[in-house]
Amino acid sequence: MLKNIAIVFVLLLTSCKGNTQEKKDMAVQETEMKEKTFAVTKTDAEWKEQLTAEQYYVLRKAATENPFTSELLENKKEGTYVCVACETPLFESKTKFKSGTGWPSFFQEIEGNVAYDVDYKIGYKRTEEHCATCGGHLGHVFEDGPEPTGERHCINGVALKFIPAE
């Protein structure tokens, strides 16, 4: 009986996924993201020359701007929100809503123009959004938004440029 318990215990220990495996998974995912190629590619120096320091930090280093600081947060005009780095259309104003989080929020992206990856940077799994054309970090998508999608695309305003409707 004791022998059977010992065997079960050993099997349980060897079948569990440990923290080191999780860290390896995260490192692999970060490497895969860096290895992706995009239609618009530039050197680090070229991005630094084109973007402001804050835009560079958010778009190229996956940082997060401070909440309630974006000039686009209260924008209610009709138009399209595009990537500030490559001007790819990302979100339409009709999908924007007030989430109360401090960042511009949308319930739907323009299909095909936003790409997704898994992000573990703060210790748990989140879905990161980036521009499908240049790879710039936009923010994260959560499943606590309004209908019809139930999604909340929480986007750094500094990553966006607003183009008013004509």
Side-chain angles (χ1 to χ4, degrees):
M1 177 72 170
L2 192 56
K3 186 177 178 182
N4 289 341
I5 293 173
I7 291 172
V8 169
F9 183 71
V10 169
L11 286 173
L12 283 173
L13 284 177
T14 58
S15 67
C16 292
K17 185 174 181 180
N19 286 339
T20 23
Q21 289 173 313
E22 187 72 25
K23 288 177 184 171
K24 286 179 187 175
D25 290 345
M26 287 186 270
V28 167
Q29 288 170 353
E30 286 180 19
T31 303
E32 288 173 355
M33 175 62 182
K34 289 177 185 172
E35 291 175 358
K36 287 184 180 178
T37 56
F38 297 96
V40 174
T41 56
K42 296 182 181 189
T43 66
D44 219 35
E46 290 171 323
W47 285 122
K48 283 182 179 179
E49 187 177 316
Q50 176 187 336
L51 303 169
T52 67
E54 189 178 18
Q55 289 169 337
Y56 174 80
Y57 192 54
V58 168
L59 287 160
R60 307 318 309 169
K61 299 300 178 186
T64 301
E65 71 183 350
N66 290 327
F68 302 101
T69 59
S70 172
E71 293 177 11
L72 297 175
L73 185 60
E74 299 298 327
N75 182 29
K76 294 175 174 52
K77 298 175 186 169
E78 267 189 58
T80 305
Y81 293 86
V82 302
C83 175
V84 74
C86 68
E87 298 199 357
T88 296
L90 302 170
F91 302 96
E92 295 176 1
S93 60
K94 65 184 178 186
T95 67
K96 188 171 187 258
F97 69 98
K98 188 169 185 168
S99 66
T101 61
W103 292 278
S105 297
F106 305 85
F107 62 79
Q108 186 174 3
E109 80 284 12
I110 295 175
E111 195 170 330
N113 293 354
V114 176
Y116 302 92
D117 281 304
V118 176
D119 166 356
Y120 289 94
K121 291 179 186 133
I122 61 172
Y124 62 89
K125 183 179 176 181
R126 298 184 297 174
T127 302
E128 177 190 5
E129 296 184 80
H130 57 270
C131 175
T133 304
C134 71
H137 171 78
L138 302 172
H140 296 87
V141 63
F142 302 96
E143 295 178 351
D144 60 0
E147 292 299 326
T149 64
E151 295 177 343
R152 173 175 52 95
H153 298 261
C154 190
I155 307 299
N156 290 289
V158 73
L160 302 173
K161 176 180 170 184
F162 180 71
I163 308 294
E166 292 181 14

